[in-house]
Amino acid sequence: MSKGDPYEDADCVCSYGMKITWDINDPKLPQDVKQFDTFQEWTDGYVRYIYTADNKNAQRHLSGWAMRNTNNHNCQILKKSCLGVVICARNCTLPNGSKLQLRPAICDKARQKQQKRVCPNCNSALELISCRGHSGYPVTNFWRLDTKAIFFQAKGVHDHPRPESKSETEARRSAVKRRMSSPHFVHKKRHMESEASRYHDSGGPFSSLHHMSCMEAPDRFGIIAESNFPIPSHHYSPFQNAESFKPAYDSSSSFVETASPLPKVSNPRIYVPRGSCGYDFTMPGYMGSNSYSALYKDSSNIPSETDSGKMCIQLNGSQHNMGTLNVHDRNFDGPSKHHGWKQILKGYGDRNECSRVTPNSSHYYNGEYPCRLGGTGSTPPALQTIITTTTKVSYQTYKPVAKFGDNICDAKNLPNCNHLADTLSPIIYPEAKFQEDNGMIKSATAYQQEVPSKTERAEGLENYRYGNYSTNSYTDRIAHPFRYDAGEY
DNA sequence: CTATGCGGGTGTC
DNA sequence: GACACCCGCATAG
């Protein structure tokens, strides 16, 4: 980033997409787009990005959040709505101090099954925290292909913790699959089962952790401890650069077990997209759903983002340790609460410019809206699908993007903003964030102000439940943003 | 099986 | 008409 250049600076605080005035529903989207944004895996807030048409991640309409397709009756614009996150109804603390934050299954059927399962840690029910970040409705993401660019627009601010990212889920599954089929595992499993029958119920489903200790507990629990370093979590997501990611991913046969073969980043910040910077920085590592750390076992290579994180927290004012609250304490007063937000959000929703918002607007978490974290043990409201039916546009056809190269992050296309901007001192991010999201700061941040303390990528032993390991249940200890990777949950 | 997309269809405002 | 959503179907990995 050529600091000093006013334009460039401006570019840093605003994604390219945000610098231009456009709306996903516009009959005519900006043409001759010269600059593109780097892919943002964890977008939050009312943001807009413009990706190159050959950006694989954009082509796949990927998102760290669990987004499901919703019918907006507009074949030109693909609309997706957030499913929220699945947590333990009792909000128990996992053995490693983290909280369960599963990725809701996208498939309705699969989700139903998922919700029937129980917390692998305390056996209590799982609870789906539906997203209500968009005026009481799920946050929505819109994708539209336009000649040479893929336009992305998000509406709403996630008011729930981040679920496990898709990449993490996939990586874990593949790892688990491998492990499950490995002779070593089969042997262990057998042994474990025999042990279980021998000690049956001598301490619950898992006189467990004890046994676990000698059975790779972490593995069994599929706990993915987060890195000690508050990496800009979902920033340098594998999605940002399919190419660099692929190798490690595809060769997952080993990356989960050993230090990731992925190209280590000397400075994660470089990969922190401004788009959600405010957000991501606010909660580095957030929910522990850190695809980055998930893929990087060796945290030593992951510089700390603490600074930036702190910075954001400060700007956000109060620190909300929502993540540590018992789910029952985090009631969400329902739609009524959104009215207020509705007003606040009014004007942000559409066609938001890079208006500047004062940091104060971040007190956002002040209770209401964004930070609601699921209702009381009550059954989560029926999953809502938000479909902001996009006006029918008959411009270009929104069809699958032809396969291009994976030069997603072509430096040439990622000028100032994405690359340089990221190298800037984190100090500037907070503000950038505000601007970009038009003040719609992320609430998710509130769920995680703490950074994981240990990087330990353990594979999950899907399908295995060790039951009543209640040692940590209900403990009010500070919850570390670790993610409990409960395999099939 | 699950993720994704598509699109018909319904109910509400 | 716009929007939220349910549901089934199809395809792909």
Side-chain angles (χ1 to χ4, degrees):
Chain A
M1 163 106 7
S2 55
K3 295 171 183 176
D5 181 329
Y7 179 75
E8 296 305 313
D9 285 339
D11 200 50
C12 288
V13 293
C14 240
S15 68
Y16 183 63
M18 291 294 272
K19 287 174 63 179
I20 305 174
T21 300
W22 58 274
D23 184 89
I24 202 73
N25 292 309
D26 285 346
K28 200 76 176 176
L29 290 173
Q31 297 302 299
D32 63 324
V33 177
K34 298 285 195 301
Q35 290 180 298
F36 298 93
D37 292 303
T38 45
F39 186 73
Q40 309 291 307
E41 183 183 6
W42 297 92
T43 64
D44 202 358
Y46 295 73
V47 299
R48 285 169 294 163
Y49 294 112
I50 299 176
Y51 305 120
T52 56
D54 58 345
N55 182 304
K56 296 278 187 178
N57 300 317
Q59 288 174 16
R60 295 165 186 158
H61 312 133
L62 294 177
S63 174
W65 303 97
M67 307 295 288
R68 74 163 169 182
N69 182 296
T70 57
N71 182 20
N72 62 344
H73 298 286
N74 183 338
C75 59
Q76 320 278 302
I77 303 170
L78 176 64
K79 179 181 180 179
K80 292 190 165 192
S81 56
C82 182
L83 289 168
V85 62
V86 172
I87 64 172
C88 167
R90 286 158 66 182
N91 193 39
C92 71
T93 299
L94 303 177
N96 69 349
S98 65
K99 296 289 183 179
L100 186 71
Q101 287 152 353
L102 304 176
R103 183 184 186 76
I106 304 302
C107 172
D108 290 352
K109 201 174 179 180
R111 198 178 330 113
Q112 289 181 357
K113 288 170 64 179
Q114 178 184 46
Q115 288 187 263
K116 286 178 182 172
R117 299 196 178 100
V118 300
C119 172
N121 184 52
C122 68
N123 265 342
S124 61
L126 290 182
E127 182 171 8
L128 172 64
I129 303 299
S130 58
C131 180
R132 296 173 183 168
H134 186 201
S135 299
Y137 289 105
V139 167
T140 49
N141 283 359
F142 298 88
W143 297 87
R144 181 174 164 187
L145 170 65
D146 190 84
T147 53
K148 298 171 293 185
I150 293 176
F151 293 79
F152 171 85
Q153 180 166 13
K155 298 179 179 178
V157 181
H158 296 278
D159 61 342
H160 53 83
R162 283 185 185 183
E164 172 184 47
S165 72
K166 187 190 171 195
S167 59
E168 288 174 322
T169 300
E170 295 181 339
R172 173 170 46 70
R173 284 180 178 166
S174 63
V176 170
K177 193 172 284 182
R178 283 197 307 284
R179 174 156 292 207
M180 292 289 265
S181 59
S182 76
H184 179 56
F185 166 73
V186 174
H187 173 69
K188 276 185 170 183
K189 180 183 175 185
R190 200 167 297 153
H191 176 266
M192 188 181 82
E193 292 175 336
S194 62
E195 287 292 299
S197 58
R198 190 187 309 178
Y199 301 106
H200 78 119
D201 290 327
S202 62
F206 211 59
S207 358
S208 10
L209 269 322
H210 297 310
H211 299 304
M212 282 180 74
S213 60
C214 61
M215 295 189 78
E216 301 172 1
D219 258 55
R220 298 170 153 298
F221 274 68
I223 295 169
I224 297 180
E226 291 303 333
S227 163
N228 223 344
F229 307 91
I231 313 150
S233 113
H234 312 280
H235 286 317
Y236 179 5
S237 88
F239 294 131
Q240 289 202 3
N241 187 321
E243 291 305 58
S244 62
F245 172 57
K246 234 169 185 173
Y249 195 83
D250 293 342
S251 61
S252 57
S253 55
S254 62
F255 89 82
V256 181
E257 308 287 330
T258 63
S260 170
L262 283 172
K264 301 286 201 306
V265 213
S266 60
N267 182 350
R269 294 196 185 97
I270 293 176
Y271 301 86
V272 179
R274 287 156 302 71
S276 43
C277 58
Y279 175 46
D280 298 298
F281 272 107
T282 308
M283 36 198 312
Y286 185 107
M287 288 290 103
S289 173
N290 188 323
S291 56
Y292 190 13
S293 59
L295 293 170
Y296 291 76
K297 208 173 182 180
D298 181 4
S299 61
S300 64
N301 288 299
I302 305 169
S304 170
E305 281 295 338
T306 308
D307 291 340
S308 53
K310 284 178 179 173
M311 173 56 75
C312 287
I313 288 172
Q314 293 181 321
L315 287 173
N316 285 336
S318 60
Q319 290 183 35
H320 308 265
N321 193 8
M322 300 300 276
T324 64
L325 294 176
N326 180 295
V327 65
H328 298 299
D329 298 330
R330 284 169 282 166
N331 269 318
F332 180 53
D333 294 339
S336 58
K337 290 264 184 179
H338 290 299
H339 294 326
W341 273 94
K342 231 166 183 173
Q343 295 175 12
I344 296 173
L345 300 179
K346 229 165 193 175
Y348 284 122
D350 305 301
R351 220 172 264 292
N352 29 22
E353 303 302 314
C354 292
S355 58
R356 189 170 286 266
V357 180
T358 63
N360 278 334
S361 59
S362 56
H363 51 312
Y364 197 71
Y365 308 102
N366 260 346
E368 325 251 317
Y369 187 96
C371 278
R372 120 195 121 59
L373 213 196
T376 319
S378 61
T379 309
L383 191 59
Q384 302 178 69
T385 303
I386 188 170
I387 302 177
T388 301
T389 302
T390 53
T391 307
K392 298 258 183 185
V393 281
S394 54
Y395 318 80
Q396 287 130 27
T397 306
Y398 185 82
K399 53 190 170 188
V401 185
K403 309 242 174 185
F404 293 83
D406 281 325
N407 53 331
I408 302 169
C409 293
D410 186 334
K412 297 169 208 151
N413 297 324
L414 304 175
N416 33 51
C417 226
N418 307 310
H419 250 75
L420 304 175
D422 295 335
T423 62
L424 291 178
S425 162
I427 292 176
I428 70 170
Y429 291 107
E431 177 175 33
K433 157 45 168 194
F434 296 129
Q435 296 188 329
E436 230 176 322
D437 290 354
N438 288 309
M440 301 319 295
I441 315 308
K442 351 338 301 228
S443 51
T445 312
Y447 301 106
Q448 145 172 31
Q449 9 43 333
E450 205 161 314
V451 186
S453 61
K454 172 157 188 167
T455 299
E456 226 176 52
R457 204 341 185 165
E459 295 172 23
L461 225 191
E462 307 197 357
N463 303 315
Y464 275 79
R465 223 182 65 211
Y466 298 94
N468 305 319
Y469 172 66
S470 55
T471 304
N472 295 295
S473 299
Y474 293 108
T475 54
D476 231 66
R477 70 174 72 165
I478 297 296
H480 292 278
F482 289 170
R483 191 186 31 346
Y484 183 74
D485 198 344
E488 297 301 319
Y489 290 89

